[in-house]
Structures are given as structure tokens and as C-alpha cells.
Amino acid sequence: MRNTAKITTAVLAAGALTLGLTACGSEDSGAADTSGPLVVAASPVPHAEILTYVKDNLAKDVGLDLQVKEFTDYVLPNTATQDGSVGANYFQNQPYLDDFNKKNGTDIVPVVTVHLEPLGLYSSKIKKADELKSGATVAVPNDTVNEARALKLLDANGIITLKDGAGNDATPKDIAKNPKNLKFKELEAAQTPRSLDDVDAAVINGNYAIESDLKPSEDALVLESAKNNPYGNFLAVKKGNEDDPRVKKLAKLLTSPEVKKFIADKYAGSVVASF
């Protein structure tokens, strides 16, 4: 039975308002209390599902009291980790965390990489990427890292060509060649699946695709390769809490053969273990 806490819209809004306060006031929060349960902030799918599997099947055997707290955005898990509301989070990749820390003055660090959710291009109007018509509209995530990642996916598949040196902050302004004159609609990452009826195609993060009953390994017109991919998702903590014994126990469980099998069986290639 899932033991997770859903975050309401009101709480999300209130938390967003405190972003600056939490980032600035966290320096005085002190070391984490390691005597209680480890509360981990996570995106619902697949992160919270993987954590819930660990909680229900593995944690008790190593004396870990694990609690899973679900968040539906990409900001509050980090602010909650920074201010000590949760002990760790599991939802993000290194380029996103680097950008977040830089912009918000936070000092969150990765502990162990667990899985990759391949980014994909989806459409409810066409069956193949080369069927995109001239002037078609493509939705992409609007946060810095995921937008660049989406454009790199399109570049890797010959749909556009990015300028030389376009990096993790690339935007449509960094497109060198756009042979189909595609138009780009920038949306919050969580909104991209809902845009499929309004655009010709959308680049969607793996977790949001799965939540929307899309199967990346089957439904994506093009999909990121897992080989040498820098976007693996990891367990992260506020700097200084890496040696928390509860965090060490969870890191070991998240990279266990049991979790690797769970990921392979449940997600059938739509989520790939990175260990």
C-alpha cells in the first residue's frame, strides 16, 4: 500500500512564495536530525513508485524508516531539501541541479544516480517525425535545461540543426538550421503532455509521459539514447548530509539488483536503470 503525501495546489503556491526565504535562511538550519524517518521528496512517476517499492520491500530489512512525499513540480523538491523540510530528493539530473543551484543560491548535491527517463518527441497527429509539415508547432519544456535537452533531441534526429557550441542553456535562438520552419511553443514541462491536442508534436520528459499513459519505448516518434547520457536521475541531499546513515542505506538500496529488476519489469524500457 502506498504511503505518500500528495501536495495540493495551495501548498505548492505557498511554497513557491518562500523560495527566496528558504534558500537564504537555510545556512542556519544545522545538520539533519538522523534519528527520525528519512523523508524523500519525489516526482510521482517513476521516482515515488521506485521509492515506494524500496519502502515496502527492502527498507525494513536494513532498519530504514522511509517516507515518500510526492511533488508535482521541479522546484519545491529542491527548496524543501534546502530548508530541511525533507531529508533528500529524487527527481532530477545533474544539468538541472547545476542550473538550479546557480540561480537560487542553494547547495544541493547528488548522492547516487539511479535511472534515466529518455526524453521523447510525441504526437497525436502524425506517426513519424519526418511527417512534420512546414510551419508545424512543436511544444518544448520552458525550463533552461529541459528546453536545451529537447532541442538537442531534435538536432540529434536531423529535425533541426543547433549552432556549434550550443550547450545546456540552448533556446530556439540557437537553432542554425530549421528546414521545416518549425514554431516552438515553450511550456512548463508538466504541461507538455496536455498540449498534444493543440500542437503538432511535443517533446515530453519521461516521467510526465508515463504519467499521461504514454509509453516512451513504444509511442515516442524519436527517443533519447541511454548511451553516454548525462541526464540520469539521482538521489540528492543538502551539502553536508551525504554521510547521513539513512541516506547511505537508501543509496545502497536504490542501486540494488532488486531495484534494477523492478525498473526493468515495471517500465519495460521507458525507464532505464543507470547502475
Side-chain angles (χ1 to χ4, degrees):
M1 180 176 179
R2 291 172 64 116
N3 182 20
T4 56
K6 299 281 186 177
I7 306 303
T8 65
T9 302
V11 174
L12 289 175
L17 291 173
T18 63
L19 172 59
L21 294 175
T22 56
C24 295
S26 60
E27 292 181 357
D28 299 324
S29 60
D33 177 7
T34 63
S35 62
L38 178 64
V39 182
V40 182
S43 298
V45 179
H47 310 79
E49 292 180 342
I50 295 170
L51 287 169
T52 299
Y53 169 79
V54 170
K55 174 184 176 297
D56 292 345
N57 297 277
L58 306 175
K60 186 177 180 180
D61 291 341
V62 298
L64 175 63
D65 185 356
L66 177 63
Q67 294 183 8
V68 185
K69 193 171 187 178
E70 293 186 8
F71 290 79
T72 57
D73 80 319
Y74 284 168
V75 174
L76 292 177
N78 275 336
T79 60
T81 302
Q82 182 73 19
D83 70 19
S85 300
V86 299
N89 69 55
Y90 174 34
F91 78 101
Q92 64 192 321
N93 57 54
Q94 190 67 60
Y96 179 84
L97 177 59
D98 290 343
D99 182 68
F100 189 94
N101 279 335
K102 181 179 179 180
K103 288 180 176 177
N104 295 283
T106 47
D107 58 350
I108 297 165
V109 296
V111 176
V112 66
T113 301
V114 182
H115 77 268
L116 172 73
E117 302 160 28
L119 198 74
L121 178 69
Y122 300 84
S123 177
S124 60
K125 299 178 175 65
I126 59 175
K127 299 296 184 183
K128 296 180 180 179
D130 59 12
E131 294 175 1
L132 280 168
K133 296 180 180 180
S134 180
T137 299
V138 178
V140 294
N142 66 1
D143 63 274
T144 301
V145 170
N146 282 306
E147 182 168 44
R149 186 180 174 189
L151 295 174
K152 289 179 182 180
L153 173 68
L154 300 179
D155 175 89
N157 286 276
I159 298 170
I160 61 170
T161 301
L162 289 171
K163 296 176 182 177
D164 290 342
N168 291 328
D169 58 354
T171 72
K173 294 180 180 179
D174 294 296
I175 296 174
K177 295 180 181 179
N178 185 2
K180 293 194 174 185
N181 296 309
L182 299 177
K183 299 175 183 177
F184 294 93
K185 187 172 184 178
E186 297 167 304
L187 300 171
E188 183 182 351
Q191 301 299 320
T192 52
R194 303 171 196 171
S195 73
L196 284 174
D197 290 337
D198 302 317
V199 298
D200 297 288
V203 180
I204 304 174
N205 290 72
N207 61 313
Y208 292 130
I210 296 168
E211 285 180 33
S212 301
D213 295 324
L214 294 167
K215 295 182 179 179
S217 59
E218 298 177 11
D219 297 330
L221 305 183
V222 296
L223 194 65
E224 275 183 328
S225 170
K227 186 176 181 180
N228 298 322
N229 195 302
Y231 296 105
N233 284 204
F234 47 66
L235 180 70
V237 297
K238 182 180 178 181
K239 188 176 181 180
N241 293 337
E242 302 95 317
D243 291 330
D244 182 329
R246 302 168 304 169
V247 171
K248 286 187 172 183
K249 287 179 181 179
L250 180 57
K252 186 173 182 179
L253 293 178
L254 281 172
T255 53
S256 65
E258 292 88 348
V259 167
K260 178 174 282 190
K261 184 178 187 302
F262 173 78
I263 290 173
D265 291 347
K266 184 171 181 63
Y267 302 110
S270 295
V271 177
V272 182
S274 298
F275 56 92

